[in-house]
Amino acid sequence: MKPKQHEGSLGAAKFFITQSTLFNIFSHVLAFASGLLIGITIITFSLKNLSLNFQFHQLFLPSLSPPPFSSPISTLLNQTNITIFTPNELRGFSKPTKAMPDMTEEELLWRASMVPRIKESPYKQAPKVAFMFLTKGPVLLRPLWERFFKGNEGFYSIYVHSHPSFNDTVPQSSVFHGRRIPSKEVRWGEFNIVGAERRLLANALLDFSNQRFVLLSESCIPLFNFSTIYTYLINSTETFVEAYDLPGAVGRGRYSPKMRPLVRLSQWRKGSQWFQIDRALATEIVSDQQYFPLFNKHCRNGCYGDEHYLPTFVGIKFWRSNSNRTLTWVDWSKGGPHPARFMRRDVTVDFLKRLRDGSTCHYNGKTTNICYLFARKFMPHALDRLLRFAPQIMHFN
Ligand SMILES: *[C@@H]1O[C@H](CO)[C@@H](O)[C@H](O)[C@H]1NC(C)=O
Ligand SMILES: *[C@@H]1O[C@H](CO)[C@@H](O)[C@H](O)[C@H]1NC(C)=O
Ligand SMILES: *[C@@H]1O[C@H](CO)[C@@H](O)[C@H](O)[C@H]1NC(C)=O
Ligand SMILES: *[C@@H]1O[C@H](CO)[C@@H](O)[C@H](O)[C@H]1NC(C)=O
Ligand SMILES: *[C@@H]1O[C@H](CO)[C@@H](O)[C@H](O)[C@H]1NC(C)=O
Ligand SMILES: *[C@@H]1O[C@H](CO)[C@@H](O)[C@H](O)[C@H]1NC(C)=O
């Protein structure tokens, strides 16, 4: 280093500046530099904290939106052991988790598989039911569902998995707005439907306040009002994954001996894909790395994996807490690969009443005639009649 060069860079100024002003300038530069350093440190620090907070809120806090205290659910919850905190007690918690976490599928499933080991959450809040819609395009009877959810904010979450190319928008005022999750193409009868079900479950599991998980199609309708459905699900001691043994081509005939020894023919089950399950089973499903790959390999063309994977998996590992029935009513009586579809003229008061309490089954060890909470497949032109009958028959507000 040649000091001469430094002198030269100060150049002519040297002659006009006294030593004391030079000292002043240096001390100012020094002060400025250290200030800058401190400033940068503070900014870096707060940025780090910000991103930490962001992740923390997104991943580990249940999304706490204060439940409405006028809601009939609050009264129902008083009969159970669930504490509901007042909006004031909930202040400072995160806003509802976005339905679209920016993650790869691998990351998503891994995060969703985590289970807190301290059972008592400090963020106690009313448990929520996750309504997960697996659709091609729009939720066909969206106005009916909007009416169903109205006034029950804080007790439910909505997730929608539609075809990736579907680009219709939902109005901002709708509870369905912004609830689509990143999706992949799904084809009827193919095993990738199960992949979509797992994506829905994984997204819903990220919100720790979701305690029950309901899979619905675009043509499903609720048969009861929100408080009845909520209580039935939350208070149930069982999961609802339909599972039965069916001899013949469309049952046992779809089994492949290549699945031995993990799945034997006697363990092969069939059932509806439309399930209602609890958080423990939902976590097991997104974490399954044994049966899922096996089905993905050996239950492909003509196997209809969505009708066999969960019934068989649950039948082998979690049958103790499973009811083996589904809460979604459907009519297979017409035969063929698709269930009956209901048009406008099919929707009558008698028909709806029959779906609501025309069967007998077991619920929490007792006999009941409320066996179905949902029904399919309802076409869009049935909407006006459903909206008209909903208040009197389904007791919608
Ligand atoms: C629930 O019970 C508590 C006391 O046990 C009472 O203060 C509260 O008003 C009840 N809430 C409703 C909605 O009935
Ligand atoms: C929930 O279940 C418990 C026990 O089975 C029962 O005592 C209670 O009344 C139920 N609550 C509601 C709201 O149905
Ligand atoms: C409610 O909680 C209390 C104490 O935590 C317990 O003693 C009681 O058995 C619970 N009641 C029900 C219906 O679960
Ligand atoms: C939406 O999708 C349709 C067909 O799927 C396409 O014709 C249309 O251009 C798309 N619109 C936008 C805004 O992407
Ligand atoms: C459900 O099916 C399994 C066999 O897959 C059976 O062991 C279990 O008892 C059944 N549960 C009920 C409630 O029927
Ligand atoms: C919901 O429906 C049930 C009958 O299924 C009725 O007893 C209850 O009052 C209704 N709840 C509300 C909030 O309207």
Side-chain angles (χ1 to χ4, degrees), residues 136-138 162-170 180 183:
K136 287 177 216 72
S162 9
H163 193 283
S165 72
F166 174 63
N167 60 15
D168 204 6
T169 51
V170 175
R180 269 181 81 177
S183 61

Side-chain angles (χ1 to χ4, degrees), residues 76-77 79-80 231 235 364 366:
L76 285 170
L77 284 177
Q79 295 160 33
T80 65
T231 316
N235 222 17
N364 286 358
K366 292 192 188 96

Side-chain angles (χ1 to χ4, degrees), residues 238 243 269 311 315-316 319 322-324:
E238 290 175 311
R269 291 288 176 277
I316 293 173
W319 56 272
N322 190 39
S323 63
N324 297 345

Side-chain angles (χ1 to χ4, degrees), residues 40-283:
I40 286 172
T41 316
I42 289 172
I43 287 168
T44 318
F45 226 80
S46 27
L47 275 181
K48 258 191 191 164
N49 277 349
L50 263 184
S51 65
L52 268 185
N53 276 343
F54 176 69
Q55 286 185 353
F56 184 71
H57 275 253
Q58 263 218 330
L59 297 178
F60 298 109
L61 287 182
S63 64
L64 299 175
S65 35
F69 290 88
S70 52
S71 160
I73 303 295
S74 306
T75 322
L76 285 170
L77 284 177
N78 260 5
Q79 295 160 33
T80 65
N81 249 358
I82 297 153
T83 322
I84 310 180
F85 281 52
T86 66
N88 204 31
E89 285 169 313
L90 290 170
R91 79 175 175 271
F93 292 126
S94 68
K95 293 202 187 82
T97 339
K98 279 203 283 178
M100 285 203 184
D102 186 16
M103 294 180 207
T104 64
E105 184 151 338
E106 207 183 0
E107 247 185 305
L108 174 69
L109 292 173
W110 178 70
R111 289 191 166 157
S113 73
M114 292 179 188
V115 177
R117 292 185 56 194
I118 297 182
K119 290 297 167 220
E120 281 293 303
S121 160
Y123 308 111
K124 213 172 272 176
Q125 190 221 5
K128 291 197 288 201
V129 175
F131 292 85
M132 311 182 300
F133 291 84
L134 180 56
T135 73
K136 287 177 216 72
V139 173
L140 298 178
L141 301 143
R142 180 164 59 80
L144 183 71
W145 284 102
E146 284 164 350
R147 185 97 154 255
F148 168 80
F149 288 121
K150 199 161 174 264
N152 296 293
E153 293 72 23
F155 295 102
Y156 65 84
S157 320
I158 296 173
Y159 301 87
V160 183
H161 184 295
S162 9
H163 193 283
S165 72
F166 174 63
N167 60 15
D168 204 6
T169 51
V170 175
Q172 217 148 16
S173 57
S174 170
V175 289
F176 285 88
H177 183 82
R179 303 311 300 173
R180 269 181 81 177
I181 65 163
S183 61
K184 289 189 185 167
E185 193 179 347
V186 164
R187 279 170 202 255
W188 180 76
E190 287 186 10
F191 196 67
N192 54 26
I193 295 184
V194 181
E197 292 174 10
R198 275 166 46 121
R199 274 190 291 282
L200 278 164
L201 281 173
N203 274 281
L205 278 165
L206 293 184
D207 182 340
F208 275 59
S209 56
N210 286 330
Q211 291 295 330
R212 294 292 183 277
F213 302 79
V214 177
L215 185 68
L216 298 155
S217 76
E218 65 249 270
S219 64
C220 279
I221 62 161
L223 289 173
F224 292 86
N225 60 19
F226 186 88
S227 50
T228 304
I229 288 183
Y230 177 90
T231 316
Y232 196 100
L233 293 171
I234 292 287
N235 222 17
S236 169
T237 55
E238 290 175 311
T239 55
F240 301 92
V241 177
E242 190 182 39
Y244 53 89
D245 183 16
L246 184 72
V250 297
R252 287 191 173 214
R254 293 180 185 163
Y255 170 77
S256 162
K258 292 192 184 123
M259 290 192 173
R260 278 194 305 243
L262 203 57
V263 179
R264 297 189 307 273
L265 180 60
S266 61
Q267 296 171 315
W268 184 253
R269 291 288 176 277
K270 182 173 177 163
S272 159
Q273 77 183 108
W274 312 107
F275 59 72
Q276 300 80 25
I277 61 176
D278 62 10
R279 196 171 172 93
L281 182 53
T283 310

